[in-house]
Amino acid sequence: MKLKYWFVAAGLLLTSYLVHAQELRRADFLPKASAAFDLLTQKYSEERIVKEIKDYNVRWVSNLMSASAIFYKATQEERYLNMSEQVFGNAVREWRENEKLMHGRDDFFALQNLTLAYEILQDNNRLPAGADEVLIRFADLHFEPEYIIDHNRGQERALGFVRMCNLFPDAPNVAHWREYTEKMWNFWYRNKDVDETATLYASIHLNDIISIAIESGKISQLKVPEINKWFERYRDQQAPSGYMPEYGDDYFFAYTNWILAFERMARLTGDASYRKAAWKLFTIGYPNLDQKKYFAPGWNLRQASDWATLAEVALLPTFKESKDSPASLSIVTTRTNLKGKTGIPDQLLLRGSVQPGTPFIMSDLYASGAHQHPNLRGTINYFEVD
């Protein structure tokens, strides 16, 4: 009888190990992410930051200040908070003196990062004098109320203005900002889908939409069957190896953004299959990253900021659910387009199982919408053989 109980106990222990072995834990990724960030910002200096600001590098300067702030929040290492404070402070000073420096290439990404850094610096009493005035001015200069669209450029803007509404409820133009964010939300939510056809960009708008929902009190609107189906569509695209196939205008290797998206989906749905997807992507992705691109010592703001996405994973609430839905095998996923037409064939997925080594073929049957490559419709966009 005792032997029987021993086998039962051993079985439970093994089951527990296998469950935990397929989920990410802080010790798995956070030290790796912070070490990579440190390498890619090794040549950091205040002089270099001022030069970046004066070169109109608005996007990546704002990314750096939020990335370092997030690393501080995840690790509690004060050096990251000091970096964020210094970058933010220099930007405020230079922008106050010359408003033209507030504009630069792809600066629509900037506001959501500026507001995130502001919030963390404010929580730690590290804001420089004049920060409120400069941030409100920055928001007003980048406000385009007619820019209503459902891909990442729109969602990045909307997230920034949602945060501005929360941080500055008495700002002169807050009513206009709030009206814009509501229009943006309703524009995509009417279809409960986004007309996006590229792997990385899809992960950007998914994370933005989840952030907007959390920060504007709309999280219950994401807990509906249509949104769950939307989430499943991307989970099912994951190849047996763990990679996220690239299609459309995508050549960036969507890595950290999808890990964060899957971990957030898990908490929204209570479904552990998304945590497995994140674990699988991290497990195959990390050892196969390009060393020069992701780990080279020096100065690479774009890749350095990318690692902060994993620091965000470390800040998510503890996952306690037990539901575990299996990913689909051979299937044609469907989607809704910008005009509201439903049931449109999206991706053809062919595989016998989700185990690594299983042959897999993916074909983009849609190839429309944002970042589309219509010349590749119906071709084999991605395959694995073993």
Side-chain angles (χ1 to χ4, degrees), residues 16 78 108 137 145 153 167 187 237 273 282 326-327 361:
S16 176
E78 193 168 356
F108 61 86
R137 180 60 177 159
R153 286 175 176 256
L167 290 170
F187 186 77
Q237 287 178 20
S273 67
F282 178 84
I361 290 176

Side-chain angles (χ1 to χ4, degrees), residues 32-66:
K32 293 182 175 69
S34 60
F37 178 85
D38 292 345
L39 285 171
L40 292 162
T41 57
Q42 195 175 80
K43 293 185 178 180
Y44 171 86
S45 69
E46 186 169 16
E47 293 75 20
R48 187 180 289 271
I49 285 299
V50 172
K51 182 179 184 302
E52 295 284 359
I53 295 168
K54 290 184 175 180
D55 285 344
Y56 301 90
N57 195 357
V58 179
R59 176 183 179 181
W60 296 110
V61 166
S62 62
N63 264 268
L64 180 63
M65 66 177 72
S66 68

